[in-house]
Amino acid sequence: MPGLIERYRDRLPFAEGDPVVSLHEGSTPVVAAPWVSERVGAEVFLKLEGANPTGSFKDRGMTCAVSGAVRDGAEVVVCASTGNTAASLAAYAARAGIGGAVIVPEGKIAAGKLAQALMHGARVIALRGNFDQALALVRELTQRHPIALVNSVNPLRLEGQKTAAFELVEELESLDALCIPVGNAGNITAYWKGFTELGLAPRLFGFQAAGAAPLVEGRRVAHPETVASAIRIGNPARWEEAMTAMTQSQGAIEAVTDGEILDAYRLLAAREGIFCEPASAASVAGLLKHGADGARRIVCVLTGHGLKDPQTALEQSGSVVPCEPELGAVEDAILG
Ligand code: F0G
């Protein structure tokens, strides 16, 4: 499969001949989830966005945002990030041969994402503050300097991310409901745009972590906290659009606790063979907890790969079995 600008050019704001910065993102697998299906009594599929080139759905938006920045002659792209946008920006900026800078909350991004941003050569700024502060600062920065902002406040990000809705409809033909984690609320907004452009209206169920659930509480959260660091956000940039998506689709936005997120995270790995990062498991945690109001055919979006956050994985899983290099010891270790 080509990258998504090539695949969906007729529905994206890119003309033939425009520069395209691509790592062949998109076209991710949709797999049936028999165990989750059994638990909820409906047909449930998982959209594996961790299969994108940098391991998260952010690549869909980033191919468009960075291609647009190159078209506009930008020499540097910047974003605030809880980690995945940073990793994606860094990869696409490297690919484009332009500068990349990311501002992340100090000590609050998963190890894999930090490694990616650094390896791709982005300048990584560790802010002594949270994501919401970082976003406010980069918005101000990009008003003063000729640097392209590629957070999901950039409309090209949503254009790219809406293609996941196209893929789902092409693959499944129909779906009744979509369950999705919500942080800065760009992705739920993008899916709704995609479905709307197709004239479809599956119900959108968005899930936030209980310690970072401004859309559920109806007010900003000054000090968001959750194990799902990717969605540790207290003042989503796409707040209004996410509420519109929820209302127009007759969906809901609900909270799930860290305990519920971690249960779903472990169960997806152990029962479905699918390792996603904690924030992604919020979609399944939400479905298991709140249901999907009678929907029969449901897709949960698993937004990022489990390898992004090895530390949480090791904390949440069993320990290794030490063993001497002798057959008897190996037999005991494996069969015992
Ligand atoms: N899942 C993962 C793995 C994410 O990284 C994010 C957001 C979301 C879900 C929520 O998506 O913000 O569009 O509602 N991560 C951003 C980042 C904030 O900086 O990587 P959203």
Side-chain angles (χ1 to χ4, degrees):
M1 276 288 178
L4 61 83
I5 293 181
E6 243 180 281
R7 183 170 174 191
Y8 293 112
R9 192 187 288 273
D10 56 334
R11 289 177 258 176
L12 292 171
F14 291 93
E16 287 294 340
D18 281 354
V20 171
V21 184
S22 173
L23 294 165
H24 288 205
E25 55 293 310
S27 308
T28 57
V30 180
V31 301
W35 181 82
V36 182
S37 299
E38 173 90 33
R39 279 278 303 266
V40 302
E43 202 180 1
V44 180
F45 296 88
L46 307 170
K47 176 78 167 155
L48 304 190
E49 289 290 277
N52 275 295
T54 76
S56 86
F57 72 95
K58 303 290 181 177
D59 297 343
R60 293 182 185 276
M62 207 54 74
T63 183
C64 291
V66 172
S67 295
V70 169
R71 184 173 57 190
D72 295 344
E75 285 168 15
V76 181
V77 287
V78 68
C79 73
S81 179
T82 56
N84 280 323
T85 306
S88 186
L89 174 154
Y92 283 81
R95 187 81 178 177
I98 60 174
V102 302
I103 307 191
V104 300
E106 184 179 41
K108 296 289 187 182
I109 81 165
K113 305 173 188 179
L114 183 58
Q116 289 178 287
L118 291 168
M119 277 300 287
H120 290 302
R123 183 168 295 199
V124 179
I125 295 114
L127 190 76
R128 298 195 186 96
N130 62 29
F131 171 85
D132 302 296
Q133 293 168 302
L135 183 57
L137 285 165
V138 288
R139 288 176 105 148
E140 232 182 292
L141 177 89
T142 50
Q143 305 240 303
R144 291 183 182 209
H145 301 277
I147 303 174
L149 180 61
V150 297
N151 278 106
S152 56
V153 295
N154 179 331
L156 288 176
R157 281 278 311 279
L158 302 191
E159 289 294 318
Q161 286 170 212
K162 77 182 181 189
T163 60
F166 299 163
E167 289 176 17
L168 282 177
V169 173
E170 282 168 42
E171 188 136 345
L172 297 176
E173 284 176 19
S174 72
L175 66 154
D176 305 324
L178 184 89
C179 297
I180 182 168
V182 176
N184 212 23
N187 212 26
I188 190 169
T189 303
Y191 271 90
W192 185 239
K193 187 169 198 297
F195 288 127
T196 306
E197 288 180 12
L198 296 172
L200 298 171
R203 302 178 70 180
L204 300 195
F205 294 97
F207 298 107
Q208 300 203 288
L215 300 182
V216 180
E217 292 173 20
R219 60 183 169 85
R220 290 182 194 179
V221 176
H223 302 290
E225 270 313 333
T226 169
V227 68
S229 59
I231 52 172
R232 185 171 165 269
I233 293 174
N235 183 22
R238 294 285 183 176
W239 188 310
E240 296 303 329
E241 294 91 330
M243 297 314 277
T244 302
M246 175 195 84
T247 318
Q248 290 187 347
S249 75
Q250 300 183 311
I253 298 192
E254 311 260 18
V256 282
T257 66
D258 279 5
E260 290 158 350
I261 289 173
L262 292 173
D263 284 348
Y265 170 66
R266 284 189 310 264
L267 288 165
L268 281 168
R271 310 273 175 143
E272 302 285 14
I274 289 165
F275 186 24
C276 64
E277 66 172 284
S280 308
S283 61
V284 172
L287 175 61
L288 292 174
K289 179 180 188 179
H290 297 285
D293 201 19
R296 301 298 315 150
R297 208 166 152 81
I298 303 164
V299 173
C300 293
V301 185
L302 298 185
T303 46
H305 201 286
L307 289 171
K308 292 270 188 179
D309 188 353
Q311 193 175 338
T312 304
L314 291 170
E315 285 164 13
Q316 292 297 318
S317 50
S319 47
V320 298
V321 181
C323 184
E324 293 304 319
E326 291 155 13
L327 184 59
V330 174
E331 281 173 342
D332 285 350
I334 289 179
L335 308 169

